[in-house]
Amino acid sequence: MTSVGERAGRDRLAAGLTRGPAEVLDFFLPLWAGSHLAASAAEVGALTALETLVSFAVRPVAGALADRYDRGRLATLGAVLYGLSFVVYAVTPSMAYAYGAAVLGGAGGALFWVALRARVGEGLREDDGAFSKLFAAEGTGTWIAFIAAMSLVARVDYRGVFALGAAACLVAAVVLVRSGAKGTPMPDDAPKFRQLGGRLWPMLGLVVVTALAEAGVALLLLMHLQRGHQLELGEIAAVFLPGFIVYSVLPDHLHRVVRRVGRRKVLSLAMVCSAVFAAALSFAPSPPVLAVLWVLSAVAFAAAVPVEQAIVAEAAGVSLGRGMGIYEGATLLGATIGTFTAGLLYSAGDGWWVACLGAAGLLLGTSVLVPKAVARVGVVDRPVVVEPVVAAEPEPEPEPEPEPEPRAESKKPGWRNWAIHATVFVVAQVALAIAGYSWPLAALGSDDLHFILNDSGHWLLDAGRIWCLVFVVDTVWTGWILLRKRDG
């Protein structure tokens, strides 16, 4: 039998294995279709729109299925369809087959993410930070996939990268199959889509705005780096990479802030910070400044998105599949509006300024509405921490017995998360050292202060320098938190 902890760990592993290739595909697909399939701009737009449309249409169906059948098996089917779409992209000779791959990817993504998020939502009672851990796993998968893709695309071409994405999705499917069944039968009086929509609509408005801002601002930044600063593919990825690393490192730490100050304050503050970033983006003079601003924005999204997911899951109750289907649909709607609007505004004269300041105004205005929206949904403002309830059960027992348990349990997650970060860091640096791009190794053998503190030459070395800084901060923060717990 697979324990609850092992099952949750495998769910997060599957999420990371699938999210990374999906993000790389979104980044590479327009470039590949234009250069290798001679697709026009209209055909590229139709290709991405088709996947979005299919994904949007399948999400309600995926939600209903996730409340009826085993969610692990449904997520496995989604991962297989996702993998098949990568296979078709890797071997397609023409745009006609690429459209078929887009249909497979849209359907597979809807099934996978709705079922997996509903499955993770089942564990909120045991772990109120389940969605923060899931978001961190997705972030880890994203930046690892980007480093691998950027390092290998020159050697294996886009089709080789797509083939590796298919392999990662296949591994995710195997992981989910091995994680076992999970979930309970749905009661007859479970709320339906219309009831859930009526209960969740204030929160769904926030979800749409968050997704709109994240996708729109990311596309604006991408286009501005490419067209305004004339950066190449690897240089653009280096600007985005520190933000993706933040997604993998900070969610667990930020969840502790949510426990202390509450969901409403964190969501409001995250939107205000995102608004400041969007406004500052219009004045940023250079790519390094843009990279710093993107990191700050990533911190805000790393705080907000898991909170939104947890609120929707709690409000959905036993209808987790339908609730996550509605949530995923709102996210996709927001992202579609954000990217479409950003593209239109950027191409129109001074649209860069208008788009950035418009996004800032929207986020700032929405931040004022957060407290009422969360209150209308009817969930608690601060996540319920289960540990004290578990410790209070053995009251007849002597006092010394329950005392050490919470302390031992509270230490494990911090050390475990840091150990995972450290393992990934070491493995990645070994691989980079073999390729000749390990910044720590190069810095140890260099006396050049400019190399160590500023420009290191190749974008992988620059990314490695930033990653080292993030890892050092993560190590210091983890040690400080554990020392405080021990002293307390």
Side-chain angles (χ1 to χ4, degrees):
M1 286 290 289
T2 307
S3 70
V4 174
E6 289 174 340
R7 191 179 291 128
R10 288 177 179 176
D11 289 347
R12 293 195 290 270
L13 176 59
L17 286 166
T18 308
R19 173 62 73 189
E23 294 289 347
V24 168
L25 179 67
D26 290 343
F27 193 71
F28 278 3
L29 192 58
L31 303 171
W32 166 77
S35 62
H36 285 59
L37 299 182
S40 66
E43 287 175 321
V44 172
L47 183 64
T48 55
L50 179 61
E51 181 171 354
T52 301
L53 181 63
V54 171
S55 188
F56 192 78
V58 173
R59 269 164 165 74
V61 179
L65 292 174
D67 279 340
R68 199 166 194 179
Y69 301 104
D70 177 66
R71 290 160 182 162
R73 298 284 189 267
L74 196 63
T76 302
L77 174 60
V80 170
L81 291 177
Y82 237 153
L84 286 176
S85 74
F86 278 98
V87 171
V88 177
Y89 280 128
V91 301
T92 183
S94 66
M95 281 295 294
Y97 292 95
Y99 288 131
V103 172
L104 286 172
L111 290 171
F112 179 83
W113 291 112
V114 170
L116 188 73
R117 294 200 199 287
R119 185 173 157 99
V120 170
E122 295 171 19
L124 276 178
R125 291 182 181 274
E126 291 82 20
D127 181 7
D128 60 288
F131 282 106
S132 294
K133 292 181 175 67
L134 179 67
F135 191 84
E138 292 177 42
T140 301
T142 297
W143 66 256
I144 289 177
F146 261 91
I147 287 179
M150 293 300 173
S151 304
L152 295 172
V153 67
R155 300 180 183 180
V156 300
D157 196 44
Y158 289 106
R159 295 182 187 275
V161 172
F162 296 154
L164 290 173
C169 292
L170 177 61
V171 174
V174 172
V175 168
L176 287 169
V177 166
R178 290 173 57 84
S179 64
K182 188 181 180 184
T184 54
M186 284 286 296
D188 295 331
D189 59 346
K192 306 300 182 187
F193 277 113
R194 181 173 295 180
Q195 293 171 286
L196 280 176
R199 184 189 303 172
L200 291 172
W201 72 263
M203 195 64 217
L204 295 177
L206 299 182
V207 170
V208 169
V209 171
T210 302
L212 185 155
E214 184 177 16
V217 170
L219 182 62
L220 282 173
L221 180 57
L222 177 66
M223 290 190 296
H224 195 56
L225 290 170
Q226 183 183 43
R227 304 181 184 195
H229 293 279
Q230 287 81 46
L231 297 188
E232 296 181 358
L233 183 65
E235 295 170 320
I236 293 172
V239 172
F240 277 91
L241 189 61
F244 291 145
I245 294 174
V246 164
Y247 282 156
S248 67
V249 173
L250 285 188
D252 225 20
H253 301 302
L254 292 172
H255 183 68
R256 297 190 186 103
V257 178
V258 176
R259 284 176 177 168
R260 288 193 174 192
V261 305
R263 291 164 168 167
R264 298 174 194 174
K265 288 182 180 178
V266 167
L267 278 178
S268 297
L269 186 60
M271 289 198 170
V272 170
C273 291
S274 297
V276 171
F277 161 76
L281 196 63
S282 60
F283 303 101
S286 63
V289 176
L290 290 171
V292 172
L293 290 174
W294 178 244
V295 167
L296 297 177
S297 179
V299 173
F301 290 127
V305 173
V307 170
E308 291 176 346
Q309 292 173 351
I311 289 174
V312 171
E314 287 183 17
V318 291
S319 295
L320 271 169
R322 292 180 176 89
M324 284 300 146
I326 295 173
Y327 166 81
E328 287 286 324
T331 302
L332 192 59
L333 177 63
T336 304
I337 295 172
T339 51
F340 181 73
T341 306
L344 284 179
L345 289 174
Y346 189 85
S347 60
D350 293 330
W352 165 251
W353 299 76
V354 175
C356 292
L357 296 177
L362 178 63
L363 286 163
L364 206 57
T366 306
S367 68
V368 180
L369 304 176
V370 167
K372 286 186 179 179
V374 176
R376 285 286 297 272
V377 174
V379 299
V380 295
D381 185 42
R382 299 189 184 188
V384 179
V385 183
V386 182
E387 286 85 355
V389 177
V390 176
E393 276 182 24
E395 272 190 27
E397 301 284 332
E399 285 282 331
E401 251 189 339
E403 261 183 70
E405 280 188 15
R407 181 170 293 187
E409 284 186 18
S410 65
K411 283 182 183 179
K412 283 182 182 177
W415 279 119
R416 189 184 298 122
N417 290 335
W418 179 86
I420 292 171
H421 299 160
T423 302
V424 172
F425 178 80
V426 171
V427 171
Q429 291 305 323
V430 169
L432 289 169
I434 295 171
Y437 296 116
S438 173
W439 184 85
L441 194 64
L444 286 173
S446 174
D447 296 327
D448 185 358
L449 193 62
H450 183 76
F451 172 86
I452 295 173
L453 298 179
N454 298 297
D455 182 35
S456 301
H458 194 277
W459 71 270
L460 278 174
L461 290 170
D462 285 327
R465 174 166 46 84
I466 296 168
W467 187 7
C468 284
L469 177 61
V470 172
F471 180 67
V472 169
V473 172
D474 181 40
T475 302
V476 173
W477 176 268
T478 303
W480 181 66
I481 290 294
L482 293 174
L483 280 173
R484 281 187 60 192
K485 287 180 179 178
R486 190 184 69 178
D487 294 340

